Amino acid sequence: MQSLKIALLFAFVALASTCSQTPGTTTTTVTTTVTTVTADDDSDSGLLTANDRRIIRKTWDQAKKDGDVPPQILFRFIKAHPEYQKMFKSFADVPQAELLGNGNFLAQAYTILAGLNVVIQSLSSQELIANQINALGGAHKPRGATPIMFEQFGNVAEEVLAEELGSSFNAEARQAWKNGMRALVTGIAKNLKNAEDLADPQTKLTPHQIQDVQRSWENLRANRNAMVSSIFVKLFKETPRVQKHFAKFANVAVDALPENGEYNKQIALVADRLDTIISAMDDKLQLLGNINYMRYTHQPPRAIPRQTFEDFARLLIESLEASGVSGDDMDSWKGVLTIFVNGVSPK
């Protein structure tokens, strides 16, 4: 049973096996840590039966006799999800209407066919398939391939097979392929990133980090002025020269600052700016605009050193931990604050 799960995973990895490669390149170097799949891995055992394996072999053997099936599967996949076309460098910019006549596109389609043939005909060799998937599974993590991508490809493949095979692709056959797709996604999730863990190329933030930070901040934002004030007091006590950047209360005793009107105006300004940045994290343009604003208003005119921003971030982390923010959320905060500091005060 496990052999088909691993086999299907290997088969559909063929979809991405040449993504981001230059034409003619066939060698993949795996440099990332991957989850090792062994031949006796029995997770999700029972999901696929001998009958499922037999049906998948039979229906695929029927379908591959029609040379149009591989191009149609890939074409329909890209048509339904055009964002994935950019993953295939050799035809990334080819108009969709021209894909079925493009040599690079057809070569990719038949590469997938070849991969499927090898895997489906090797279902009985657990050891062979396990070795193959261990070699290929981690290669796609750094390329941004996600489990949902393979699930979507499987859905398209199922629909194309149903159209091509007609009555031969009955309810039993469709269920066998659905079982295979379910096993595929379960297996591939071990080595590929989920969409929420993929960092935006410009902001460097992941949706997961943004959600963690915004959620935990919402529970604390009502007391943001008090939190920021405690951070500034600690910062000024640790590094007195930092207070000199604030001319209106540069010479006020640190312990007397909470009673100073100008100091409290500055605290409210900083707290509101922090709130604005966090609230806009899921809007890339606003986020980048806020970071750039912070950089240009603090670096040339005030010449505030990077160390000050690093210290502020460290003290904010300590305040968040003291406020009971969970460990998982703290990991996201640390990553986000590192990116903020790098944005406001690049090394």
Side-chain angles (χ1 to χ4, degrees):
M1 298 177 206
Q2 181 63 17
S3 61
L4 181 56
K5 180 170 73 175
I6 299 172
L8 283 170
L9 176 56
F10 172 50
F12 287 95
V13 162
L15 167 67
S17 63
T18 55
C19 290
S20 303
Q21 292 181 7
T22 55
T25 301
T26 58
T27 302
T28 298
T29 301
V30 179
T31 58
T32 188
T33 302
V34 301
T35 299
T36 301
V37 180
T38 60
D40 58 355
D41 183 355
D42 61 357
S43 58
D44 297 308
S45 61
L47 182 61
L48 299 171
T49 66
N51 192 48
D52 286 334
R53 297 198 297 270
R54 180 187 62 79
I55 291 173
I56 289 175
R57 281 198 190 99
K58 179 181 178 181
T59 51
W60 181 249
D61 285 344
Q62 291 174 324
K64 71 181 182 182
K65 293 177 182 178
D66 186 342
D68 290 336
V69 169
Q72 279 299 323
I73 292 177
L74 185 56
F75 176 73
R76 293 266 290 274
F77 174 66
I78 289 174
K79 187 176 180 179
H81 307 284
E83 67 274 17
Y84 295 145
Q85 186 173 346
K86 295 298 182 181
M87 298 181 71
F88 300 90
K89 287 188 175 181
S90 63
F91 54 88
D93 299 317
V94 176
Q96 277 192 10
E98 300 175 14
L99 284 175
L100 288 171
N102 180 273
N104 288 325
F105 172 84
L106 294 173
Q108 178 63 57
Y110 285 103
T111 295
I112 294 173
L113 171 64
L116 285 168
N117 281 337
V118 170
V119 171
I120 293 177
Q121 297 307 319
S122 303
L123 293 179
S124 60
S125 178
Q126 290 184 327
E127 195 67 35
L128 173 62
I129 299 301
N131 289 338
Q132 290 172 323
I133 197 54
N134 286 334
L136 289 173
H140 305 96
K141 185 173 182 177
R143 297 177 187 172
T146 63
I148 189 63
M149 174 183 175
F150 290 86
E151 181 178 349
Q152 291 163 340
F153 181 79
N155 292 337
V156 171
E158 180 187 322
E159 293 306 315
V160 172
L161 288 171
E163 292 175 11
E164 292 292 331
L165 298 178
S167 60
S168 297
F169 199 77
N170 55 24
E172 187 180 31
R174 185 180 288 272
Q175 189 58 53
W177 279 87
K178 285 185 183 297
N179 291 344
M181 293 308 104
R182 192 179 304 117
L184 160 69
V185 175
T186 298
I188 206 165
K190 297 176 182 178
N191 281 323
L192 297 183
K193 291 184 178 181
N194 292 314
E196 63 267 21
D197 296 320
L198 295 176
D200 181 273
Q202 288 181 284
T203 67
K204 311 303 181 185
L205 298 176
T206 70
H208 179 78
Q209 288 175 313
I210 292 171
Q211 292 165 11
D212 284 351
V213 169
Q214 288 183 331
R215 182 184 62 252
S216 55
W217 178 251
E218 187 60 30
N219 296 328
L220 302 169
R221 66 188 299 271
N223 297 316
R224 61 186 182 275
N225 284 28
M227 178 183 293
V228 171
S229 180
S230 70
I231 290 172
F232 268 83
V233 167
K234 291 176 182 177
L235 183 61
F236 294 162
K237 286 184 175 180
E238 284 184 2
T239 314
R241 66 177 180 275
V242 174
Q243 189 176 343
K244 301 301 180 183
H245 290 292
F246 302 90
K248 294 182 178 180
F249 51 85
N251 298 314
V252 177
V254 175
D255 290 335
L257 284 172
E259 306 301 323
N260 182 276
E262 293 299 332
Y263 170 79
N264 286 317
K265 287 180 183 178
Q266 182 65 39
I267 292 301
L269 180 65
V270 173
D272 286 346
R273 175 59 58 183
L274 184 60
D275 185 58
T276 298
I277 292 175
I278 294 171
S279 299
M281 283 172 60
D282 50 0
D283 185 321
K284 181 165 66 174
L285 291 179
Q286 286 194 48
L287 175 61
L288 293 173
N290 280 318
I291 291 176
N292 287 332
Y293 175 80
M294 289 289 292
R295 180 191 303 175
Y296 294 124
T297 56
H298 288 76
Q299 288 305 300
R302 300 182 187 176
I304 297 177
R306 176 185 171 87
Q307 185 62 51
T308 299
F309 292 101
E310 291 179 340
D311 289 340
F312 183 90
R314 170 177 54 81
L315 292 170
L316 176 56
I317 288 293
E318 291 178 3
S319 294
L320 292 168
E321 289 175 333
S323 298
V325 175
S326 70
D328 287 343
D329 286 354
M330 288 308 308
D331 288 340
S332 292
W333 271 98
K334 290 173 183 177
V336 166
L337 288 174
T338 297
I339 290 169
F340 282 0
V341 170
N342 289 336
V344 174
S345 183
K347 290 183 178 180

